[in-house]
Amino acid sequence: MVVKKCLETAELVQAVADEKGVTITIEKVTDMAQIMAYEVMSTPAVVIDEKVVHKGSKPTKEQVAMWI
């Protein structure tokens, strides 16, 4: 289920940020035009500083740790 994967991804990103003591802001984007502007065709996707770093699956904890 896509929504579940998006929520799990957001929770994972927040958990890793918390572990590293990094303050982040997570924004869930549901507007299709905005999603398409990032050329994201499948979700979940992770965008950091306007750059798509992951899309189409839930990232691993190790991947998230590299981004933060």
Side-chain angles (χ1 to χ4, degrees):
M1 179 177 248
V2 173
V3 173
K4 182 178 179 185
K5 288 181 182 177
C6 292
L7 293 174
E8 290 173 348
T9 296
E11 290 171 358
L12 175 63
V13 171
Q14 185 64 65
V16 172
D18 290 346
E19 284 179 14
K20 293 184 142 197
V22 176
T23 301
I24 63 170
T25 300
I26 295 176
E27 178 183 356
K28 182 178 179 188
V29 176
T30 58
D31 178 68
M32 283 306 290
Q34 192 173 0
I35 292 170
M36 295 303 291
Y38 287 106
E39 299 181 2
V40 171
M41 304 303 254
S42 61
T43 59
V46 178
V47 177
I48 298 176
D49 295 333
E50 301 301 317
K51 180 180 177 188
V52 177
V53 295
H54 187 86
K55 58 185 172 183
S57 65
K58 181 181 164 186
T60 65
K61 184 175 181 178
E62 291 75 22
Q63 287 174 306
V64 175
M66 289 189 302
W67 303 330
I68 297 176

